[in-house]
Amino acid sequence: MLDMQQKIKIFKALGNETRFMIFKNIFTGGYVCSIDDKSPKTEANPHATCVTTIAKHFNFSLPTISKHLQLLREADIIKMQKKANKIYIEPNIQTIKELGGCFTKLVENFETNRELFFDEVVLN
């Protein structure tokens, strides 16, 4: 189960338009690494991609894209794996399912579950 700090990291990571678009395209398989047959295939995402492929779609330097990817990885919504001289990226389906489950619980019985999603929030 995601704790409050993890939920906050996810929302912060996706709160940036560039990171949101990067994540959207990773999640939907919108980027496919240009080395085709050598790209790793996984059950979660048969279209794993690499950092250089993502960078080609944005008007940012590779280090800037890498920083955005680092924040998405720290939020645990993507996984990164190094193979040879490439870094491959895929969505972390488990974290996405857990976040979705939080929203599902929240809306199942809205009147009695309002606090479930925010259970760890303490206002000073």
Side-chain angles (χ1 to χ4, degrees):
M1 182 87 165
L2 298 173
D3 66 18
M4 185 55 61
Q5 290 305 315
Q6 187 62 32
K7 292 172 192 173
I8 290 169
K9 277 186 181 180
I10 292 169
F11 289 122
K12 282 183 177 181
L14 294 175
N16 174 278
E17 183 178 352
T18 300
R19 284 192 295 274
F20 183 84
M21 293 306 297
I22 291 170
F23 176 75
K24 172 191 168 278
N25 283 292
I26 291 169
F27 191 81
T28 61
Y31 303 129
V32 178
C33 191
S34 59
I35 58 175
D36 301 320
D37 296 332
K38 295 180 183 178
S39 63
K41 307 295 183 203
T42 65
E43 279 184 34
N45 186 4
H47 302 290
T49 191
C50 53
V51 175
T52 53
T53 300
I54 293 171
K56 291 177 187 176
H57 295 280
F58 291 90
N59 195 21
F60 298 115
S61 67
L62 194 55
T64 300
I65 294 297
S66 292
K67 180 64 177 171
H68 284 299
L69 289 168
Q70 177 185 353
L71 292 169
L72 292 170
R73 186 174 50 95
E74 288 172 359
D76 202 28
I77 56 175
I78 63 168
K79 297 186 228 177
M80 300 174 76
Q81 180 181 14
K82 187 170 183 160
K83 295 265 187 174
N85 65 342
K86 299 269 186 191
I87 298 173
Y88 295 92
I89 302 132
E90 63 184 323
N92 186 341
I93 301 301
Q94 183 60 39
T95 299
I96 303 309
K97 284 181 180 179
E98 287 183 38
L99 185 63
C102 293
F103 283 106
T104 300
K105 287 179 185 177
L106 180 65
V107 297
E108 280 176 347
N109 188 348
F110 182 71
E111 290 304 318
T112 58
N113 292 333
R114 287 181 190 210
E115 297 299 318
L116 285 178
F117 190 79
F118 303 99
D119 59 356
E120 297 175 26
V121 174
V122 178
L123 298 176
N124 294 328

